Amino acid sequence: MVTALERTAYQLSQSVRLGWYSVQSALASRLSERVRAPAALRAAMPSVATLSEDRRRLMRRDLENIEAGYYRLPHDLVDNPAAVLRQTVLYFSDLRAVNQRIRRGVAAEVRAPDLEHYPDYYRRSFHHQTDGYLSRRSAELYDYQVEVLFGGAADAMRRQALVPLHHFLRGKRIADQHLADIGCGTGQFLTFVKDNYPRLPVTALDISPFYLDEARRRLRHWSRVTFVEAAAETMSLPEASVDIATCIYLFHELPTEMQDKVAARMARILKPGGMLIFIDSLQLGDRADYDALLEYFPMAFHEPYYADYLRRDLGRVFEGTGLMLEQINLAYLSRITVLRKPGTPADQRR
Ligand SMILES: C[S@@+](CC[C@H](N)C(=O)[O-])C[C@H]1O[C@@H](n2cnc3c(N)ncnc32)[C@H](O)[C@@H]1O
């Protein structure tokens, strides 16, 4: 039950959030070196008004989900102003380095000798971010950068995963279930999971020790959290050990052969009857009016595998792992796909 006061608090805080990040985004564009989109793409771009109305629609849906009891009001409804200011300063001081990288192009990859044991495809300055995913500073800045990129809508898009999670967990003993978030980043999504299901055992898996450290910091107030530093394509979580796998914004940053391997691993770790909740960027054709924007994205922000991702038939990738498609939902710039491993937990006991 959401009170009138809580509803107002949500609406106010999210309006401030959208306004704040939209202004930051506009300012960052002005201060940034940007690759100009080809004329044909420019002509087909969605307008600022469309994007901003779609973000507001997402927030209305977020509130409807909360009112329907699918999940709680966000725990971080009111951000700490000092922390936001600190991140703003960090973000804008980093812009100069980002601009230099844009000017130099892809030569500016992450090449420090002590990082050579990471896969080559991964040592990239994704989004031109300083150090790629391989420093404490990058981990500290990541969520702020993502929110600026999405005009404040990133968390609300991630929260859409809590709806199928609610349906899956309904009537089950929470402490007996196990969720693994693959490519968990700074653990932001898991903070929403744990805020709703404090007794749910979760595994936070990522290849970056720096991002895992940030996730550890954010999740320190909750118990039953295991951190695993591993590449998803070789992760050794036991077969059929997980009831729910979540994977958010990882695939568009993987080359296609890695996508196949990670999809197979996720299917393997799921128990029969288990659920995969998969969120990533829209693909071409999901929303024709957004296609030009999607095509422009890898030109403007360094995303080496995104152009392939946009055209990949992910349905076939997952079909090849034996997972069954249950549901697809679009939420602003994201697509939420829900898949099931055939069978029931009883099959496993046989
Ligand atoms: C775009 S971020 C998404 C993070 C988080 N899921 C979110 O919602 O923001 C991609 C994350 O995947 C991690 N990652 C990339 N390749 C990986 C791999 N092969 N195995 C495990 N993690 C990987 C990165 O370190 C980064 O934390």
Side-chain angles (χ1 to χ4, degrees), residues 121-122 133 142 158 183 185 206-207 230-233 248-250 253:
Y121 73 79
Y122 179 67
Y133 288 114
Y142 168 80
R158 290 189 187 100
D206 203 281
I207 192 172
E233 61 273 22
I248 305 183
Y249 304 136
L250 169 64
E253 297 199 340

Side-chain angles (χ1 to χ4, degrees), residues 302-317:
H302 184 35
E303 281 285 9
Y305 315 114
Y306 190 83
D308 287 341
Y309 165 86
L310 284 179
R311 293 164 177 81
R312 189 102 209 266
D313 184 347
L314 288 177
R316 283 190 70 174
V317 172

Side-chain angles (χ1 to χ4, degrees), residues 119 121-122 126-127 129 133-134 142-143 146 154 158 181-189 205-209 211-212 228 230-234 246-254 258 262 279 303:
Y121 73 79
Y122 179 67
F126 292 94
H127 327 136
Q129 65 199 32
Y133 288 114
L134 289 166
Y142 168 80
D143 284 288
V146 172
R158 290 189 187 100
D181 190 25
I182 309 303
C184 67
T186 59
Q188 181 67 359
F189 170 65
L205 182 142
D206 203 281
I207 192 172
S208 168
Y211 277 58
L212 272 185
V228 177
E233 61 273 22
T234 52
T246 51
C247 183
I248 305 183
Y249 304 136
L250 169 64
F251 267 43
H252 73 273
E253 297 199 340
L254 295 177
M258 290 304 149
V262 176
I279 301 191
E303 281 285 9

Side-chain angles (χ1 to χ4, degrees), residues 6 20 33 38 46 59 92 97 116 135 169 174 180 204 212 221 227 232 240 272 278 285 287-288 298 315 318 334:
E6 286 173 329
W20 175 263
E33 306 262 337
M59 294 307 175
F92 282 101
E116 263 167 17
S135 74
L169 290 175
I174 301 297
L212 272 185
H221 299 304
F227 296 91
F278 179 88
R287 269 195 68 165
F318 285 115
S334 297

